[in-house]
Amino acid sequence: MDESALREVEELAEQLYGERAGSREAARERLICFNTPEYFGKAIFILQHSRNACALLMAGCAISAIVVDHWNSVTDDESIAARDAIFSVLWDNGSDFPPFASTAIMEALAKIIKLGWLDDERHQQAPDMIQRFMNSREEHQILALRILRSVLQQMNKRYGGDTIARHRKIAISFRDNVLEGIFSSTIQSIQRMAGAQPENELQVTLKEDTLQLALACLEFDFIGTTPDETGIDLGTVQIPNGWRHLFEDESPPLLQLFFGMYASSPGDLAKYAMECLVQLASTRKSLFSSDRTRLNFLSMLIHGITDILRNQTNLQHAGCHHDFCRLLARLRANFQLNMLVEVDGYSDWISLVCDFTVKTFHAWQWAPNSLFYLLSVWASLIRGLPFMKPGSQHLVKDFAPKVIGAYVASRLDSVGVALEDDTAEDPLLDEHQLKVQLDSVPPITRCSYEESAAGIIGFLEPLAASLKQHLTNGALQHLPLIDGQLAWLLYVIGSVTGGRSPPTVEVHDELDGELVTRVFQLLQIHHQRLERFPDQPKTPQLEAFEMSLLHFLELFRRVYIGDQSLAKSKVYQRLGEVVGLTTNLDVLEVIVQKLIKNLNWWREETDIVKRSLALFNDVAAGYNSGKLLVKLNIVDGILGHHTVEHFAFLGFKENLSCRKAFYTTLGRILLMNENIEKFDEFMLPFDNAFRRVGSANSIDEMRTDECRDCLIGLLRDLRGIVTACNQRNSYLKFFEWIFPEYTPILHRVSEAMYDVPEVTSSLLNLVIEMVTNKNNRLNFECSSPNGILLFKECSKILTTISARLYDVDVSNIDPFKFKYKGVMQCLNIMKCCLAGNYINFGVFELYEDPCLRDSLGACLKLALNIPAEELITYPKLVKAFYGLMQVLFQYHIGQLVDLDSASFQHILGALQEGLTSTTMDVFHECCASIDHVAAFCFKYRNKTTPASEALKHHLTQEGGGKFFETTLELLFQVLLFVDSANHWALARPLLSLILVNPDVYHALSERIVRTQPADRQEKLHEAFGKLMDGVHNNLLSANREKFTHNLTTFRQSVKSFIVVV
């Protein structure tokens, strides 16, 4: 590359990373070539000769892409030369580069070191080369620290071309030979810095990078499992045994060193020291040589935390405060309560932690993400109480009521803050935060339940009285604050009620009764409020209050009404005394009444409608609660009056998606043995709807808005009922109702409304549900023709809609809505019918019935008419297409080979395209389809049948003659170069193709061997030779398993040296 070419690259790089979007794409197209191995040397040249920041960034990214994607194409000498060149560039000019450029260059260097670590011993000299930087001036020391941190980060990453085994071998080698030395030298540097304050900005940066490197060492993935910090049970840091002396013999001890760095540093630097302490607190138990040593370690932790809490050191810094909360959570996750109490100063520690928790709760706006960690600390402390020795002075029960009281008070205060400040985030409306916080509330509340419950009641009763007073006075303007605060209390009470776990003492049942009784009293007040003020504003706080009521009812049902319920509890005794609800049946009736009220009063609020329906479904789906449900007179009323006149939410288009859920639940109740005789009465509204639609004398009458809306609701409702028919008897009841009286109307609808996607989508979804044989519900009696009759009726609808969809022009409309969604549904219907195993399709050919031929032909015509670019655009359409192909090749290959050669070859081409799909379902179905084709050829290789002759004819035509050869080559490419490929799925078609065409396989293997560098050809040839060891000339299961085992071994052996060509 000469000077002018370098200048051109610099200009293109500035366009690529500049602000002008128009020229960016053109620059990317011209520079993309630098990501290929042929340009590896030119990228190094740019690093060596350019001082343009954008060009340096581009070159660093290009080197990273090459070594990650084409590492086997880079020779050892080339990688060493590149490494040395980058070191030289960083030594000469690295401190002058802008951060974004130097970061990219260091990342490229780290990837070269990581990938070459086991390939060439010279790469393991990199730490010595970095030491040269450490022995130089401060600018070079900073570079060295950043290079090491980048290397550590890359050692933890597995690239697409690396096997897990090779990645772990590299990481383990680096861990065992280098990492301890890096950490030790870093600790020594921190010791030197501990007693002195930075004199200039450079020394501040050096201190920051040193702490970050120490953190990177502690965060190293020592055993191949990265801890997950999203849960309460946080990960343990698996420090190697060889590091034990650093934790036990170091002077000053590691913990004191980092606590000292935290105390002596400003907040921005102290944050990294605190993160190191978080990792140290997570050190595995088995690292310590004795329990006494571990207790000493814990004692230093406790005392360090106590000093921070006493002095409030850096806790005003948001980052330090958050990480300090993480430290407390890690401490409790790795040390049991019975060990904590043995430490001198434990009582001071837990008292200060309680004060800190209370203050943090009240300052919730400043540290909203820290609440989860503090709640988890107290919840886990309380979960350790059953394992404590009697008489232990753990003090947890003394502080738990203060903690839960402060939490509840802070939540109530947050409502007022959110109402006063529109820009403030309202925690009540953050569903995720709400859930994770409430998970920790039950154990904290139940620890000292009498005091905690009294505190909650102390919050609840004044609010309930205030709500009642404002409702009496009609002062609705004051209700949003009360609604929000009551919502928080109901969420807490619901969680506490649902968190009841055996064994429990009798007094807890009594306290549950006190809380629950007040909620049901509040529910009565709320019901009266909705009746008295039907037009009141539906504020966010009122919606939250409604959702909290549903939350409470859901959890109460699980404990006191569900299958594992406590039907004879003192809760019902208290409920009977105060509210008059003496049994679980009485409470269940109140719940159902509440749900009915929600479905009418909140008819326009889809979230509340969905939550209400979910609770209704939970009650109906439970065995015991479902049995109780059918005993209620109110449920009999629902089964007899379930139309829009009685459930207003059914009249809103926004709730169309809820209709199926509603009728699925009603269907479950209806089809229980106690109610099945009410089926005909329940279906009367649908009878009337069908008659109304069927009375239309013309297509125009059927296409009116009124008829369309009626049809959409009817079809969605029926789909819900069919979904509830999980048994053969219940499905037969529905089938006998709809056939033969109403299926002709459905056919008329398909003819009249084919271009109305809202109708056709609902119709086809209903048909899909009807033909899906879940739980073998469609296995009719052997003397019954119902399976054949069902298919004939569905095929009429399928053929009609398919013919209309084929002619739809999507150039000026939404393609998926008006065409491809219907195509997807048609393909799914055919797939469910063909794979349902309830129809003997041979009957149609035997009696010359054309319905199978017509419907299958219509579906294949639709499928073959989908442009490739449209097919890959819609994932659901792709899945339907390949799902049908897999079923056809498995069970109905005779129908496929009857197609003309062009159509059949189009399908084969689509299967090859599907092998490159990143969607695993599509990939598996394509592998299975190809396996069925090859297995069919293998089975009939020495026999002659019409189907086998037709298949041979297709494969010998122009365009199909090399299908097996090209497919075999493609499968090997996927096997060798696609990391996410499923070996079991690949093995099925590979074996079939190899057995059908052994000569093609041998020629292909030789060709692949010849594409590799000379020094690797012999190893690859040996690997191919072992692939068929012990594999016989059949497709029996045992032979397939043997081949799959060989294939996995083959891939693992060649992955480490094969070069992408």
Side-chain angles (χ1 to χ4, degrees), residues 119-151:
D119 292 350
D120 192 319
E121 290 184 356
R122 290 176 291 177
H123 280 294
Q124 299 184 19
Q125 300 169 2
D128 298 330
M129 301 175 72
I130 298 173
Q131 188 62 39
R132 178 191 173 205
F133 285 72
M134 291 296 297
N135 296 333
S136 183
R137 63 183 191 272
E138 291 176 340
E139 291 86 346
H140 282 144
Q141 292 176 21
I142 292 171
L143 288 174
L145 294 169
R146 292 177 180 177
I147 294 170
L148 285 172
R149 190 167 79 248
S150 184
V151 171

Side-chain angles (χ1 to χ4, degrees), residues 179-187 214 217-218 243 246-247 254 258:
L179 187 58
E180 182 185 351
I182 296 174
F183 186 61
S184 297
S185 62
T186 305
I187 295 303
C217 291
L218 293 171
W243 294 25
L246 296 174
F247 285 74
L254 278 182
F258 282 102

Side-chain angles (χ1 to χ4, degrees), residues 711-723:
L711 271 171
I712 294 171
L714 172 64
L715 296 170
R716 286 175 177 266
D717 299 345
L718 292 178
R719 182 187 173 200
I721 296 172
V722 181
T723 302

Side-chain angles (χ1 to χ4, degrees), residues 835-849:
N837 199 30
Y838 57 90
I839 306 167
N840 187 342
F841 288 100
V843 170
F844 298 106
E845 183 177 359
L846 181 64
Y847 291 100
E848 299 182 353
D849 189 326

Side-chain angles (χ1 to χ4, degrees), residues 556-736:
F556 179 85
R557 183 205 67 81
R558 291 177 192 174
V559 177
Y560 293 104
I561 301 177
D563 296 339
Q564 306 295 327
S565 63
L566 303 167
K568 297 179 180 179
S569 167
K570 288 202 171 185
V571 169
Y572 286 105
Q573 181 180 335
R574 184 61 177 159
L575 278 172
E577 293 171 358
V578 179
V579 193
L581 304 175
T582 57
T583 66
N584 51 11
L585 195 62
D586 296 332
V587 174
L588 189 59
E589 184 169 10
V590 171
I591 293 175
V592 174
Q593 288 174 344
K594 175 59 184 168
L595 296 178
I596 294 173
K597 189 66 177 179
N598 282 0
L599 295 177
N600 285 287
W601 204 88
W602 292 99
R603 53 191 175 274
E604 299 178 59
E605 302 299 329
T606 304
D607 289 341
I608 294 179
V609 168
K610 287 182 177 179
R611 188 77 176 266
S612 301
L613 291 175
L615 175 55
F616 194 19
N617 182 67
D618 285 346
V619 175
Y623 181 79
N624 287 338
S625 58
K627 293 290 186 183
L628 289 173
L629 200 61
V630 298
K631 297 178 181 179
L632 298 177
N633 292 330
I634 191 172
V635 171
D636 286 339
I638 293 174
L639 295 179
H641 306 87
H642 51 82
T643 57
V644 67
E645 291 81 7
H646 306 93
F647 291 91
F649 83 98
L650 295 172
F652 290 83
K653 292 183 179 180
E654 295 80 3
N655 296 323
L656 279 176
S657 60
C658 302
R659 298 184 72 122
K660 174 179 175 287
F662 179 60
Y663 277 98
T664 297
T665 303
L666 293 188
R668 283 200 176 101
I669 300 170
L670 173 71
L671 297 171
M672 291 181 184
N673 292 334
E674 292 84 349
N675 284 321
I676 198 165
E677 70 277 0
K678 301 175 183 177
F679 182 85
D680 292 334
E681 180 186 354
F682 178 82
M683 300 301 289
L684 282 176
F686 303 116
D687 290 321
N688 296 331
F690 264 125
R691 293 190 186 103
R692 199 157 56 245
V693 173
S695 65
N697 296 320
S698 65
I699 291 178
D700 290 337
E701 286 186 34
M702 191 171 284
R703 292 173 66 88
T704 60
D705 291 345
E706 181 183 357
C707 188
R708 181 197 62 198
D709 293 342
C710 175
L711 271 171
I712 294 171
L714 172 64
L715 296 170
R716 286 175 177 266
D717 299 345
L718 292 178
R719 182 187 173 200
I721 296 172
V722 181
T723 302
C725 298
N726 287 318
Q727 304 299 326
R728 185 171 66 176
N729 289 340
S730 57
Y731 183 87
L732 184 61
K733 194 80 174 174
F734 178 83
F735 181 77
E736 290 175 345

Side-chain angles (χ1 to χ4, degrees), residues 139-371:
E139 291 86 346
H140 282 144
Q141 292 176 21
I142 292 171
L143 288 174
L145 294 169
R146 292 177 180 177
I147 294 170
L148 285 172
R149 190 167 79 248
S150 184
V151 171
L152 288 173
Q153 291 169 349
Q154 296 305 318
M155 286 291 174
N156 285 335
K157 293 181 180 179
R158 185 170 78 90
Y159 311 123
D162 250 359
T163 62
I164 295 177
R166 183 171 185 270
H167 164 68
R168 287 309 305 162
K169 283 180 181 178
I170 294 171
I172 291 170
S173 173
F174 183 84
R175 178 198 70 189
D176 293 344
N177 298 316
V178 179
L179 187 58
E180 182 185 351
I182 296 174
F183 186 61
S184 297
S185 62
T186 305
I187 295 303
Q188 292 170 8
S189 298
I190 294 175
Q191 288 173 345
R192 289 193 297 270
M193 295 174 182
Q197 291 297 323
E199 298 178 358
N200 52 51
E201 191 65 30
L202 208 57
Q203 291 185 1
V204 172
T205 304
L206 185 62
K207 186 175 183 180
E208 178 180 350
D209 284 316
T210 303
L211 287 171
Q212 288 189 49
L213 179 58
L215 177 61
C217 291
L218 293 171
E219 288 181 339
F220 191 83
D221 193 1
F222 295 103
I223 61 170
T225 54
T226 302
D228 176 16
E229 291 202 14
T230 60
I232 293 175
D233 299 322
L234 302 173
T236 300
V237 178
Q238 302 291 332
I239 301 293
N241 286 333
W243 294 25
R244 180 177 289 127
H245 66 95
L246 296 174
F247 285 74
E248 296 183 355
D249 305 332
E250 192 74 19
S251 180
L254 278 182
L255 286 176
Q256 290 185 10
L257 179 64
F258 282 102
F259 273 121
M261 285 294 289
Y262 174 80
S264 63
S265 302
D268 291 338
L269 292 182
K271 178 182 184 300
Y272 298 112
M274 180 55 68
E275 289 189 58
C276 291
L277 288 167
V278 171
Q279 295 299 110
L280 291 172
S282 306
T283 303
R284 62 187 175 93
K285 176 182 179 180
S286 55
L287 177 69
F288 299 95
S289 56
S290 65
D291 290 341
R292 173 55 54 188
T293 307
R294 188 166 185 253
L295 186 61
N296 291 337
F297 184 83
L298 174 60
S299 179
M300 283 186 283
L301 265 176
I302 293 292
H303 291 150
I305 292 171
T306 302
D307 288 341
I308 291 174
L309 289 172
R310 278 204 183 106
N311 302 319
Q312 294 293 296
T313 311
N314 282 320
L315 293 182
Q316 297 77 22
H317 185 276
C320 292
H321 184 282
H322 180 70
D323 286 320
F324 182 75
C325 294
R326 289 178 57 226
L327 174 61
L328 293 175
R330 284 285 185 102
L331 173 69
R332 174 56 195 96
N334 287 277
F335 295 93
Q336 296 298 322
L337 179 60
N338 55 14
M339 194 172 185
L340 290 172
V341 298
E342 295 179 18
V343 176
D344 291 335
Y346 165 78
S347 58
D348 291 339
W349 175 81
I350 196 169
S351 175
L352 289 168
V353 170
C354 178
D355 293 340
F356 173 74
T357 302
V358 171
K359 290 177 182 177
T360 300
F361 284 161
H362 287 304
W364 62 271
Q365 284 183 282
W366 186 69
N369 297 323
S370 301
L371 305 191

